[in-house]
Amino acid sequence: MQLYNTLIHSKENFIPLEENKVKIYICGPTVYDFCHIGNARPLIVFDVLRRYLEYKGYNVVYVQNFTDVDDKIIKKSIELKKDFLEISNFFIKEYFIDADKLNIKRANFYPRASENIEQIINFIEILIKKEYAYEVKGNVYFSAKKFNDYGKLSGQKLFELESGVRIKLNNEKREAFDFALWKARKNSDPYWDSPWSEGRPGWHIECSAMVKHYLGKTIDIHCGGQDLIFPHHENEIAQSECANNQKFVRFWLHNGHVNINNKKMSKSLGNTFAVRNVAKDFGYETIRFFMLMSHYRSPLNFSVEAMNSARLGLERLYNCLENLSFLSKKACDNPCDNQSTLEKKLKKEINILEKKFFDNLNDDLNTAGSISALFDLISTANKNLNTYSSKSIIKYFVESIRKIGKILGIFDKEKKRNFSDEIKKMLDERKESKINKNWVKSDDIRMRLEKLGILINDTPQGQHAVWKDFYE
Ligand SMILES: [Zn+2]
């Protein structure tokens, strides 16, 4: 499998360091608000990466942190007159509600900054001892210039950065690009004891300390949004490689921005969309599917039209699965004579389309191309299967579609389709009115059913009814 590695600006063949084991770390959210569409993208695309590696037989250890000590959380805790932990605990709980509904597999570990202070302090002590960090009045800073490779991820050189950006020197830092590892306590901020002061960790250090503690000194894949490349990931590399004397991350993977109606999403523009609000209109699964319809590195434009077309696409897939399960009840046990040549040809075609699906995933996780192979598979099924088909060819299609769905993390849920006797009666009446070509009556029943939350699909094999939320 080839993956685009930000570190070398090109695709590279992915082979894990340890046989059969892949260590992945993903920067998680700062928990002071609900998960928004921009947060959801890395969760979803890298969840597919993990699922695919697991499908390939690797034992994946997946770690995602929660930044639960941070200026924004402290600000919110002062506004709401609540303890900072009360704020972060609340948003972590809410995070899991959204992540579970988006069908994100749970990580093996969810370390939190506030619960890893000891690891963080130990890490800073190593950096001070090796003279990569210095203390001033209870604050500890990392000396960026001491790390020769500083800038290797973002491709920026320190002296260029210094001339290009004016950074206010706080007269404690020796150089503009030095960054805080430990911050001495101010006012009523949360704090912990440390060898330097009562205080709290800076943001970047928590990821370096957690990676080392939960995964080791060198990991296979570190992922996150493009906006984290500089300075966050650059600083993680500097801290970890100086402390550990060895390569920190082998593959750096970054997903593109999410734009809203072609404008960059940001809190200050007020165009961030909470996942749960979008899900009210489109369903969580549509959000997931929408995110996978583009390549993870390209910018993604969120709009109502794009969400509607994602929903329609997902409905097409569900319709096909529904048709196949309906058809398999009527199908022949063995291929009828005139079908067996066609079915042999179909099996070959399924294999070719599956290969197309996997080839795309192997090419830097191109889920967009993979999904197009899935649609081709559906079209082939819709075009070629009918009541003369055999149970075995239908099963072959269903298994292929389900296998693909499992890797993409879609149609995982068992959908229930029990209807009350009253609804069953209406469905029978509609079927009959169609047979009798009483279109007015059949349309009327269809509308009445729709009001009850039931959608009807008319297919060459007959009418199908599903609950509207079936697709969500
Ligand atoms: Zn991080």
Side-chain angles (χ1 to χ4, degrees):
M1 180 185 201
Q2 297 255 314
L3 290 173
Y4 184 90
N5 187 352
T6 310
L7 198 58
I8 58 162
H9 313 295
S10 69
K11 291 180 197 171
E12 201 181 350
N13 209 13
F14 177 74
I15 300 162
L17 201 57
E18 285 174 49
E19 210 190 330
N20 282 325
K21 191 171 185 181
V22 182
K23 296 176 180 178
I24 305 181
Y25 184 90
I26 179 168
C27 292
T30 302
V31 279
Y32 71 104
D33 210 341
F34 295 106
C35 186
H36 60 68
I37 286 293
N39 304 134
R41 191 175 193 196
L43 298 182
I44 294 166
V45 296
F46 297 122
D47 179 64
V48 172
L49 173 68
R50 176 198 186 169
R51 284 169 185 264
Y52 183 45
L53 291 169
E54 284 176 345
Y55 170 82
K56 281 158 94 81
Y58 292 116
N59 167 22
V60 178
V61 189
Y62 200 84
V63 179
Q64 184 208 296
N65 71 316
F66 284 120
T67 299
D68 66 351
V69 191
D70 166 273
D71 288 344
K72 294 184 198 106
I73 300 170
I74 295 169
K75 194 174 156 230
K76 199 144 201 171
S77 80
I78 294 167
E79 271 167 26
L80 301 175
K81 296 193 176 69
K82 284 185 174 162
D83 186 71
F84 84 100
L85 275 180
E86 214 178 306
I87 307 284
S88 50
N89 287 342
F90 172 79
F91 284 112
I92 288 174
K93 206 180 89 230
E94 297 301 314
Y95 165 89
F96 281 118
I97 293 174
D98 288 325
D100 287 347
K101 289 187 177 168
L102 286 170
N103 207 17
I104 311 295
K105 281 188 81 169
R106 291 266 179 134
N108 299 79
F109 301 100
Y110 286 102
R112 297 169 57 164
S114 70
E115 292 170 356
N116 286 271
I117 299 295
E118 197 189 320
Q119 282 78 16
I120 292 171
I121 289 176
N122 291 343
F123 206 99
I124 298 174
E125 281 187 315
I126 297 172
L127 289 172
I128 293 179
K129 214 165 147 193
K130 294 175 105 173
E131 295 182 0
Y132 286 111
Y134 56 93
E135 188 235 316
V136 186
K137 294 182 195 155
N139 296 305
V140 181
Y141 297 98
F142 184 90
S143 191
K145 272 203 173 150
K146 291 216 171 145
F147 179 52
N148 288 336
D149 279 345
Y150 195 85
K152 70 175 172 183
L153 183 70
S154 53
Q156 287 168 296
K157 296 271 172 285
L158 253 191
F159 62 88
E160 287 169 5
L161 285 171
E162 276 172 351
S163 60
V165 187
R166 251 184 228 188
I167 286 193
K168 209 172 78 201
L169 269 176
N170 64 5
N171 73 29
E172 285 186 358
K173 287 204 265 181
R174 291 180 192 159
E175 307 277 351
F177 277 91
D178 293 357
F179 53 90
L181 302 175
W182 189 264
K183 297 175 176 177
R185 149 185 199 200
K186 271 188 252 150
N187 314 321
S188 57
D189 285 7
Y191 66 91
W192 290 265
D193 272 334
S194 81
W196 318 288
S197 61
E198 286 182 343
R200 61 184 169 100
W203 171 35
H204 315 299
I205 193 69
E206 68 179 70
C207 290
S208 281
M210 290 166 182
V211 167
K212 188 177 182 180
H213 185 70
Y214 291 90
L215 294 167
K217 290 179 181 172
T218 301
I219 60 168
D220 295 297
I221 298 172
H222 191 316
C223 30
Q226 262 168 15
D227 51 331
L228 295 180
I229 295 176
F230 190 84
H232 185 54
H233 289 162
E234 198 71 78
N235 292 351
E236 278 188 42
I237 295 178
Q239 296 163 155
S240 294
E241 300 201 345
C242 288
N244 301 330
N245 279 337
Q246 67 186 60
K247 195 175 184 123
F248 175 44
V249 171
R250 299 175 59 241
F251 285 77
W252 281 96
L253 268 56
H254 292 102
N255 65 275
H257 294 296
V258 176
N259 296 324
I260 307 275
N261 295 322
N262 291 317
K263 285 198 190 88
K264 192 171 184 281
M265 191 178 81
S266 79
K267 286 241 156 185
S268 54
L269 285 174
N271 63 353
T272 56
F273 284 76
V275 165
R276 56 190 56 195
N277 292 339
V278 177
K280 266 183 213 150
D281 291 335
F282 297 98
Y284 280 91
E285 198 171 29
T286 306
I287 298 175
R288 184 176 177 107
F289 193 61
F290 162 70
M291 299 262 171
L292 296 176
M293 284 170 81
S294 305
H295 189 277
Y296 75 94
R297 283 193 292 120
S298 8
L300 180 64
N301 189 39
F302 175 91
S303 66
V304 170
E305 298 79 60
M307 286 298 287
N308 271 329
S309 96
R311 175 153 68 185
L312 281 176
L314 199 56
E315 281 181 15
R316 258 184 76 203
L317 300 176
Y318 270 115
N319 274 336
C320 177
L321 275 174
E322 268 287 291
N323 286 345
L324 293 182
S325 99
F326 177 79
L327 210 52
S328 70
K329 284 173 212 141
K330 306 196 163 192
C332 324
D333 284 325
N334 296 303
C336 314
D337 286 345
N338 56 347
Q339 291 286 309
S340 72
T341 330
L342 172 71
E343 294 198 0
K344 261 186 218 151
K345 214 182 96 210
L346 283 177
K347 276 194 181 175
K348 261 193 207 154
E349 210 161 314
I350 294 173
N351 296 342
I352 290 168
L353 290 173
E354 255 191 34
K355 190 176 174 297
K356 183 178 164 196
F357 173 84
F358 287 112
D359 285 348
N360 274 289
L361 282 190
N362 287 332
D363 180 14
D364 191 28
L365 202 73
N366 183 2
T367 52
S370 295
I371 287 174
S372 105
L374 175 59
F375 278 122
D376 290 348
L377 195 62
I378 300 280
S379 306
T380 312
N382 288 344
K383 232 181 280 163
N384 293 288
L385 300 182
N386 51 47
T387 39
Y388 297 109
S389 309
S390 71
K391 281 194 164 59
S392 82
I393 189 70
I394 294 171
K395 199 168 158 235
Y396 207 76
F397 267 103
V398 172
E399 280 172 359
S400 178
I401 295 167
R402 291 245 172 237
K403 176 161 71 183
I404 286 174
K406 209 165 173 228
I407 295 169
L408 297 176
I410 51 174
F411 16 90
D412 252 11
K413 291 165 272 173
E414 273 307 317
K415 305 284 189 179
K416 56 174 193 311
R417 45 174 303 177
N418 300 327
F419 299 126
S420 65
D421 288 344
E422 186 202 351
I423 287 169
K424 280 184 195 150
K425 209 177 128 206
M426 285 169 79
L427 288 169
D428 286 343
E429 266 178 52
R430 182 172 184 275
K431 209 192 278 176
E432 210 174 303
S433 59
K434 281 205 79 167
I435 293 166
N436 299 330
K437 304 200 166 151
N438 186 345
W439 311 124
V440 179
K441 192 175 173 191
S442 90
D443 278 352
D444 176 59
I445 299 176
R446 171 203 277 277
M447 280 188 311
R448 274 162 50 210
L449 284 164
E450 231 187 287
K451 280 191 190 133
L452 294 170
I454 290 153
L455 291 179
I456 296 194
N457 300 313
D458 290 310
T459 76
Q461 286 78 38
Q463 90 177 5
H464 280 177
V466 287
W467 289 104
K468 252 188 210 161
D469 60 6
F470 187 85
Y471 301 112
E472 288 170 3

Short mmCIF file of all heavy atoms in Angstrom, two decimals, residues 25 27 65 203 207 222 232-233 236, ligand 1:
data_model
loop_
_atom_site.label_atom_id
_atom_site.label_comp_id
_atom_site.label_asym_id
_atom_site.label_seq_id
_atom_site.Cartn_x
_atom_site.Cartn_y
_atom_site.Cartn_z
N TYR A 25 -0.97 7.03 15.85
CA TYR A 25 -1.38 8.08 16.80
C TYR A 25 -2.10 9.17 16.02
O TYR A 25 -1.63 9.61 14.98
CB TYR A 25 -0.16 8.67 17.51
CG TYR A 25 -0.51 9.69 18.57
CD1 TYR A 25 -0.73 9.29 19.89
CD2 TYR A 25 -0.61 11.04 18.26
CE1 TYR A 25 -1.05 10.23 20.88
CE2 TYR A 25 -0.93 11.98 19.24
CZ TYR A 25 -1.14 11.56 20.54
OH TYR A 25 -1.45 12.49 21.51
N CYS A 27 -3.99 13.04 16.57
CA CYS A 27 -4.26 14.14 17.50
C CYS A 27 -5.76 14.31 17.63
O CYS A 27 -6.46 14.52 16.64
CB CYS A 27 -3.65 15.45 16.98
SG CYS A 27 -1.87 15.43 17.01
N ASN A 65 -5.53 11.18 21.57
CA ASN A 65 -5.56 11.92 22.83
C ASN A 65 -6.77 12.86 22.91
O ASN A 65 -7.47 13.08 21.92
CB ASN A 65 -4.28 12.76 22.98
CG ASN A 65 -4.27 13.92 22.01
OD1 ASN A 65 -4.61 13.79 20.84
ND2 ASN A 65 -3.91 15.09 22.50
N TRP A 203 0.80 22.83 25.02
CA TRP A 203 -0.01 21.90 24.23
C TRP A 203 0.83 20.81 23.56
O TRP A 203 0.52 19.61 23.64
CB TRP A 203 -0.81 22.70 23.20
CG TRP A 203 -1.52 21.88 22.17
CD1 TRP A 203 -2.12 20.66 22.36
CD2 TRP A 203 -1.72 22.22 20.79
NE1 TRP A 203 -2.69 20.23 21.18
CE2 TRP A 203 -2.45 21.16 20.21
CE3 TRP A 203 -1.37 23.32 19.99
CZ2 TRP A 203 -2.83 21.17 18.86
CZ3 TRP A 203 -1.75 23.33 18.66
CH2 TRP A 203 -2.47 22.27 18.10
N CYS A 207 1.44 15.42 23.30
CA CYS A 207 1.43 14.38 22.28
C CYS A 207 2.75 13.60 22.26
O CYS A 207 2.75 12.38 22.14
CB CYS A 207 1.11 14.96 20.90
SG CYS A 207 -0.60 15.52 20.78
N HIS A 222 1.49 8.83 12.10
CA HIS A 222 0.92 9.88 12.94
C HIS A 222 0.00 10.66 12.01
O HIS A 222 0.41 11.08 10.94
CB HIS A 222 2.04 10.78 13.47
CG HIS A 222 1.60 11.74 14.55
ND1 HIS A 222 0.43 12.48 14.47
CD2 HIS A 222 2.17 12.09 15.74
CE1 HIS A 222 0.32 13.23 15.56
NE2 HIS A 222 1.36 13.01 16.34
N HIS A 232 2.29 22.56 15.43
CA HIS A 232 2.10 21.45 16.37
C HIS A 232 2.95 20.22 16.04
O HIS A 232 3.71 19.74 16.88
CB HIS A 232 0.61 21.09 16.46
CG HIS A 232 0.31 20.04 17.48
ND1 HIS A 232 0.71 20.14 18.79
CD2 HIS A 232 -0.32 18.84 17.38
CE1 HIS A 232 0.31 19.07 19.46
NE2 HIS A 232 -0.31 18.25 18.63
N HIS A 233 2.81 19.71 14.82
CA HIS A 233 3.56 18.47 14.51
C HIS A 233 5.06 18.72 14.37
O HIS A 233 5.87 17.87 14.71
CB HIS A 233 2.97 17.82 13.25
CG HIS A 233 1.61 17.23 13.51
ND1 HIS A 233 0.73 16.92 12.52
CD2 HIS A 233 0.99 16.91 14.68
CE1 HIS A 233 -0.38 16.43 13.06
NE2 HIS A 233 -0.24 16.42 14.37
N GLU A 236 6.22 18.60 17.82
CA GLU A 236 6.23 17.22 18.34
C GLU A 236 7.51 16.50 17.90
O GLU A 236 8.16 15.81 18.68
CB GLU A 236 5.02 16.43 17.82
CG GLU A 236 3.74 16.66 18.58
CD GLU A 236 2.65 15.69 18.12
OE1 GLU A 236 2.94 14.49 17.90
OE2 GLU A 236 1.50 16.13 17.94
ZN ZN B 1 -0.99 16.33 18.82
#
